[in-house]
Each structure stands twice: as structure tokens, then as C-alpha cells.
Amino acid sequence: MNAEIIAIGSELLTPFRQDTNSLYLTEKLNQLGVEVIFKTIVGDSRERLTGAASLAVSRAEVVIFMGGLGPTEDDLTREAVADALGLELRRDPAIVTSLEQRFAARGWKMATNNLKQADVISGATVLPNANGSAPGQWMSGKYDGRERIIILLPGPPHELKALFEEQCLARLRAKLPPQFIGSRELKITGLGESACDFRIAPIYKLYTDVETTILAGADEIQLHLKSRASSLEAAQSRVDELAEKIEEELGDSVFSDNGDSMEQIVGYYLQMRNATLAVAESCTGGLLAERITSVGGSSRYFVGGAVVYSNQLKTAFADVPAELIEKHGAVSSEVAKAMAEGIRRRSGATFGLSVTGVAGPTGGSDQKPVGLVFHALASDAGTEVVERKFPGDRKRIRRFASQQALDMVRRKLM
Ligand code: AMP
Ligand code: MG
């Protein structure tokens, strides 16, 4: 099924107000499997709105009007839609009563122009509006000789959402063929967006029935796979098959195939191995510990750590020899290694993890530019050090650094 959304209001044609309702409705309709084929914005003109309504009813199976249901002169949606369909408006006594009660409850006298909010297009079902005075309207049947669903909704976003969710979703669903959605979310790290797409596009392009969306963030790529079918098994098996082929191609760059975060994955692995982790952080300033402890139950594997920002504390809390810092600088593979080993020894954890780098924007030099970060992971099998040069501003560099550190633990335990 397809749909056209019509947003009504002259203010939506100015730079000052945006038609956000249509984004919301598009998402909801897409979730139902309804494709939005047109979006129209029309000002408060009865003639232009009637024209837009006639055109929409001629070309889309579901037509949703929003806005222009208020009491003022420029609220013309009811009249224009009735004109376009060649139908009459009738005043609904139940709505008149509820409007009168609404005003009385506030101790206000109702101006007569409010009564037009009680006008209902012949044959329409009234959708009561608990959050405002203008009710919505639902019509389904043959219009202009074609089977159509026509919906009128109030413009204020919170009223529109409540009315759509509580009164339109179930009605729409009942009109649609049964449809099931299968979905998967893969997360990838250590690969750029274009490099990733270059490798997987030849695979997902073969699955024309699976919708593949790539969302690239600073330190990970999310791959959303979605397919629709008449049974859940059929829909899910298509995305599962595609996910498997993508994982085969990208190997251990894929760290999650069910939407779990890097910190959750690291937590699973540590628990599975009965292992514990301690951290010594410099440039991430606690971000690493924050991410690890954002997972419920992390006390089972995270013993704690130290933010050793100054050279003095690197020595006092992580046993980094002062001469080592003197000789190589705080941002160096030697200091990263000593930090990881020091915090591991101090804490008694299975793994000691460290980060030291230049997050910027100041403090960079030719030898140690902004973005240079050293990560170390110490265990009884020895200590690995990874040197990376991350792009971006301070926030991105710190995020990258925490991701790289967690990823070292993941790869070690995989
Ligand atoms: P109306 O129902 O035309 O009286 O609209 C009432 C208010 O709802 C407007 O002043 C806008 O603030 C808001 N509104 C109307 N249409 C939209 C829309 N398409 N997107 C977002 N806000 C809207
Ligand atoms: Mg308006």
C-alpha cells in the first residue's frame, strides 16, 4: 500500500516552522509496510488545499491530512477535503457537547467559531482528541471510484502522535495484508565506511528484498538489515543469511551481530572466561571506566581503575617509573605498557588496560601530534601495545581511544 502525506499551514512554507509531523508519520507508515510516495505542504488556502486533496486522492491509497483543524478562519482542512470528495459536512452534536464541556471546565465562554471543529465529513468516523479541542477524522471506502483511506489529524505534534498511535495504527493494520519484519543489526569497528561498503556492497546488492542501511559513527559502523515477508521465519531467514555472508567477508571487524555495544561484548567475553579487568587511563579521563560500568552487572568482571592524568599519578598509582616518563614522554608505547602492567599488578586483575595520548586541541608536537594514542593490554601472556593516530576533535579522539582499548580486550578474548 502507498500513501501521501499533506501538511497544512502557511507557516510551514516559511523558514520559521518545519513540517516535522511528516517525518514521524513516514516512519510509522514504513513500519507498517506502507510506502510514502508523496509529501505535500500546502498553505492555508481553501482552493489550493482542495486541489492538493483531489490530486492526492487520485494517486495514493492512503491520504493523511494534518493541521488546519482548529477553530480559526485559516483552518480549512475539513471544508477543503469535503469539497474535494464532493461530500457534505454535518455538525456532530456529541462534539459540540464535548467542546462546551471543555470550555466550561476551564471557566471560559466558548466563542462560536469553535463550533466548526464539530463539523464532520459525511461518512467519517470521529477520532476523539484527548489532548486538544480538534478531533481527527477517519474515512475508508470508495472515493472517486477507488478504494481509499483518508485521515484528518490535528497539527500540534503531541496531539497528532497520540491520535495516530491510539486510534489509527490498529485501524490501518486491519486494512493491510499480514506482514512480518525480520531485522538484524551488525556493528563493525576498525574499518572506514567506504572501505566497508566497498567490500560488502557486492553481497548486499544481491539481496534486493533486504533493506540495508549503513550508519557510520566516529568509531563504529552500524549496518541495519530489514526484510518483510508474509511469515516471520521467511523474513528473518533472509536477513540472517545476508548477515552471515557479511560476517564471513568482514571477519572479526564485526563485533556484534545483535545490536550489542562494544562494552557489552567485552563484558560477555570477560565473564565467559571468568576473567577480570582493571584500567589506567590518561587522555580518556575516565571514559573507558564509564563505558565499562554503563553495563549492568559489570562488577562481576571490572575491578576498577585509575585516572592517572599527571606524570606524578602515573608513578604513584600505576607504578610507572619516573625515569621512563622522563626518557620517552607520557605519551609513548613504553609508558602505555608500564601503565597496563602496573595497574594489573596493583589490582590483581587478569587484564590491565591502559590509554595514553594527545587528545588536543593543544599539546601536540611534530613527533607527538594531536590524535596520537597508545593503548596497552597486559596479561600473564605478556603485554601488547597498539599505536593509533585518530582524526577529529578532542571528543572524537577520546571516543576512538576508548573504543580501540575495548576492542583490544575483545580481540584478545575472542
Ligand atoms: P493547526 O492544526 O494548523 O492549527 O496547527 C497547530 C500547530 O501545530 C501549528 O502552529 C504548528 O505549531 C503545529 N504544526 C502544524 N502542522 C505541523 C507539522 N506538519 N509539523 C510540525 N508542527 C506542525
Ligand atoms: Mg494552521
Side-chain angles (χ1 to χ4, degrees):
M1 211 180 250
N2 61 40
E4 174 159 350
I5 297 173
I6 304 186
I8 298 136
S10 297
E11 77 278 12
L12 303 171
L13 295 168
T14 69
F16 311 112
R17 274 290 168 92
Q18 243 177 357
D19 164 26
T20 55
N21 286 341
S22 78
L23 299 179
Y24 162 82
L25 279 179
T26 301
E27 186 187 359
K28 291 288 167 188
L29 290 168
N30 289 169
Q31 284 168 358
L32 290 170
V34 177
E35 184 193 3
V36 174
I37 53 168
F38 288 100
K39 284 207 258 178
T40 300
I41 302 182
V42 56
D44 298 302
S45 144
R46 182 160 175 174
E47 191 192 340
R48 286 191 282 269
L49 181 48
T50 304
S54 298
L55 184 60
V57 172
S58 75
R59 64 190 182 183
E61 295 162 293
V62 179
V63 181
I64 304 183
F65 296 87
M66 49 202 191
L69 293 183
T72 61
E73 286 291 315
D74 64 0
D75 292 309
L76 297 161
T77 304
R78 284 172 290 261
E79 292 84 343
V81 177
D83 286 350
L85 301 175
L87 295 171
E88 299 290 316
L89 290 172
R90 59 172 178 83
R91 192 144 289 178
D92 183 313
I95 304 176
V96 173
T97 307
S98 91
L99 284 168
E100 283 166 351
Q101 284 169 349
R102 203 179 152 81
F103 277 83
R106 289 167 170 72
W108 296 338
K109 188 170 159 7
M110 185 171 84
T112 51
N113 59 0
N114 280 285
L115 286 173
K116 67 186 220 149
Q117 295 177 102
D119 290 347
V120 178
I121 298 170
S122 175
T125 303
V126 175
L127 308 175
N129 181 352
N131 303 299
S133 58
Q137 303 190 26
W138 166 283
M139 286 169 270
S140 95
K142 278 219 155 58
Y143 294 92
D144 249 359
R146 283 167 286 216
E147 200 60 42
R148 293 290 183 254
I149 294 171
I150 299 170
I151 307 172
L152 276 59
L153 295 172
H158 70 287
E159 295 181 26
L160 174 130
K161 285 181 189 174
L163 262 181
F164 188 77
E165 269 158 49
E166 289 158 20
Q167 302 182 63
C168 299
L169 265 180
R171 283 188 169 94
L172 272 173
R173 227 177 250 127
K175 295 274 175 193
L176 295 167
Q179 192 187 50
F180 293 87
I181 295 178
S183 68
R184 276 294 273 278
E185 184 183 344
L186 301 185
K187 291 188 179 180
I188 295 140
T189 196
L191 265 184
E193 186 187 9
S194 55
C196 175
D197 193 50
F198 183 76
R199 286 170 62 181
I200 65 174
I203 305 171
Y204 67 69
K205 280 193 177 143
L206 298 176
Y207 286 73
T208 48
D209 57 330
V210 180
E211 203 182 298
T212 302
T213 314
I214 302 182
L215 300 173
D219 54 358
E220 66 185 44
I221 296 169
Q222 294 178 6
L223 214 57
H224 294 255
L225 311 179
K226 197 158 95 182
S227 111
R228 302 170 202 280
S230 55
S231 79
L232 186 58
E233 296 71 34
Q236 193 60 43
S237 76
R238 289 297 286 166
V239 289
D240 287 349
E241 193 184 307
L242 174 56
E244 204 170 296
K245 295 204 167 141
I246 290 174
E247 286 188 70
E248 233 166 70
E249 169 61 33
L250 297 180
D252 56 14
S253 297
V254 179
F255 68 84
S256 166
D257 63 6
N258 61 359
D260 282 343
S261 66
M262 176 65 87
E263 42 273 39
Q264 281 175 308
I265 298 292
V266 165
Y268 293 143
Y269 280 137
L270 286 165
Q271 278 193 82
M272 222 151 56
R273 302 290 165 92
N274 255 320
T276 56
L277 177 69
V279 299
E281 308 182 53
S282 189
C283 66
T284 45
L287 177 59
L288 195 48
E290 201 284 323
R291 288 186 62 183
I292 295 166
T293 55
S294 71
V295 180
S298 49
S299 61
R300 286 196 282 271
Y301 49 84
F302 184 61
V303 300
V307 179
V308 288
Y309 218 60
S310 67
N311 291 349
Q312 190 198 344
L313 249 65
K314 285 182 181 68
T315 303
F317 290 0
D319 298 336
V320 181
E323 314 81 67
L324 202 70
I325 301 175
E326 182 81 6
K327 188 167 168 206
H328 302 282
V331 178
S332 61
S333 69
E334 290 81 0
V335 169
K337 180 169 182 284
M339 282 165 65
E341 289 170 355
I343 202 71
R344 175 171 179 264
R345 208 177 313 113
R346 281 282 186 111
S347 65
T350 323
F351 294 98
L353 181 64
S354 74
V355 184
T356 177
V358 189
T362 56
S365 67
D366 284 350
Q367 295 83 35
K368 309 238 168 120
V370 169
L372 178 70
V373 183
F374 293 91
H375 313 74
L377 180 63
S379 68
D380 60 6
T383 305
E384 287 167 55
V385 183
V386 169
E387 173 183 342
R388 296 288 301 273
K389 171 77 181 65
F390 298 120
D393 61 9
R394 185 172 176 85
K395 192 172 168 195
R396 277 170 76 93
I397 290 168
R398 283 154 49 99
R399 174 77 199 183
F400 271 124
S402 69
Q403 184 83 342
Q404 169 61 44
L406 290 170
D407 199 38
M408 283 175 79
V409 182
R410 176 185 74 96
R411 285 172 190 270
K412 181 92 187 161
L413 292 172
M414 244 165 53

